[in-house]
Amino acid sequence: MMQSIDLANPRPVVAVICDRISYFQHPVHAVPETYLRALHEAANVMPVLLPVSPEMLDLPTLLSTVDGVMLPGSPSNVAAERYQAEPLPEQTLKDIYRDETVFSLLPQVIEQGIPLLAICRGFQELNVFFGGTLDRAVHERPNALDHREGCHDRPLTCWYEDSHFVEIMPCGLLSTLTRAPYISVNSLHHQGVSTLGQGLRIEALAPDGLIEAFTASDSPGLVLGLQWHPEMSLGHSPLAQQIFSHYGDACRQRQQFRSSLNFSGDNKNESIRPVAV
């Protein structure tokens, strides 16, 4: 049955950055469906895919039409040259197209106050953007947990089972979304934060001290980075539900402000400054 169209109450539009992969020898721009379903079902927004071809990226068009941006996870890694480190080994999966696109759009997305949710690779991209560095093998640190997903022969759902706790820092955003001081999360990464970027506030720590979440407290809009995958935990994690709900609310606030600018005819390239929460 065709769904009725409610033109009076459109959903906020969230641009989701793609990976550039090969599909039957064709270059393809793709995003795992789990992120899109989480945005649709838990954040109540409409996701659209943002290609990672910088020549296709028209920032004025993007900034004037979207109400949020998501940087999802990926098997690929941020190029180490982005944080002035030795290049990653040749066999390491990288995505220079995503790197170039993300780092070209982040300055304006953050300055304009467009709500930004970054997960796993996106979390690492944000840290690098703010001047931080990455550890390419966090499991090799002294007394470290093994944060990798484990054997790939297991069913995919097993990869995303909760594997360790994180401590929620007091007085941060996440502490307003849950009263629990510790939350169980999944873990599927071999890289992680080495030095935290400037202006980022720690929101959660793993038992081995690894930074698992942060916000950019001085940014005009919501900027939230998570090392774990809340999109895979919506069925059992109240915090995962709250994260996407809160993000959706921030996108709706941005949508309302953008609509007010369009209605007034004042659609200049001004900074959009909704309440940063």
Side-chain angles (χ1 to χ4, degrees), residues 91-111:
Q91 68 272 20
T92 304
L93 184 61
K94 298 177 281 290
D95 189 340
I96 60 173
Y97 301 95
R98 173 163 169 167
D99 283 350
E100 187 174 351
T101 305
V102 166
F103 287 100
S104 65
L105 68 85
L106 278 179
Q108 284 296 314
V109 168
I110 292 173
E111 181 182 334

Side-chain angles (χ1 to χ4, degrees), residues 52-256:
V52 284
S53 291
E55 69 276 10
M56 297 183 191
L57 181 63
D58 184 84
L59 273 174
T61 301
L62 178 71
L63 298 173
S64 65
T65 56
V66 303
D67 307 299
V69 170
M70 173 187 267
L71 307 181
S74 170
S76 66
N77 297 271
V78 179
E81 293 85 344
R82 292 280 174 179
Y83 47 96
Q84 290 75 55
E86 289 295 316
L88 296 169
E90 186 64 31
Q91 68 272 20
T92 304
L93 184 61
K94 298 177 281 290
D95 189 340
I96 60 173
Y97 301 95
R98 173 163 169 167
D99 283 350
E100 187 174 351
T101 305
V102 166
F103 287 100
S104 65
L105 68 85
L106 278 179
Q108 284 296 314
V109 168
I110 292 173
E111 181 182 334
Q112 295 286 323
I114 298 175
L116 180 61
L117 179 59
I119 294 172
C120 199
R121 187 197 209 268
F123 167 86
Q124 295 169 12
E125 288 167 333
L126 262 187
N127 187 58
V128 171
F129 172 75
F130 279 97
T133 62
L134 302 178
D135 186 335
R136 63 189 64 192
V138 294
H139 53 280
E140 295 180 356
R141 301 177 306 150
N143 303 314
L145 296 175
D146 191 339
H147 290 265
R148 294 171 294 180
E149 63 269 20
C151 176
H152 287 187
D153 291 335
R154 298 176 301 154
L156 185 64
T157 53
C158 296
W159 300 15
Y160 291 91
E161 292 175 344
D162 290 347
S163 57
H164 66 76
F165 287 89
V166 295
E167 180 182 4
I168 304 298
M169 297 293 100
C171 304
L173 170 62
L174 294 186
S175 70
T176 68
L177 301 181
T178 178
R179 295 182 179 180
Y182 295 91
I183 296 294
S184 185
V185 300
N186 49 40
S187 189
L188 294 92
H189 60 102
H190 63 275
Q191 290 196 320
V193 171
S194 178
T195 58
L196 186 64
Q198 297 179 358
L200 297 177
R201 178 177 63 192
I202 298 173
E203 293 278 344
L205 291 173
D208 59 2
L210 187 67
I211 297 171
E212 290 275 341
F214 55 61
T215 49
S217 53
D218 293 333
S219 296
L222 174 65
V223 177
L224 174 60
L226 305 165
Q227 183 61 82
W228 70 89
H229 289 263
E231 81 283 358
M232 296 297 293
S233 303
L234 291 169
H236 69 272
S237 170
L239 179 57
Q241 288 281 353
Q242 286 295 321
I243 286 169
F244 278 96
S245 177
H246 183 79
Y247 178 67
D249 289 344
C251 294
R252 275 177 282 281
Q253 184 185 41
R254 159 78 186 188
Q255 179 191 40
Q256 291 167 6

Side-chain angles (χ1 to χ4, degrees), residues 27-54:
V28 170
H29 302 258
V31 175
E33 185 176 318
T34 49
Y35 296 100
L36 309 181
R37 287 204 172 275
L39 288 170
H40 170 73
E41 296 172 4
N44 197 28
V45 301
M46 190 187 84
V48 296
L49 304 192
L50 188 64
V52 284
S53 291

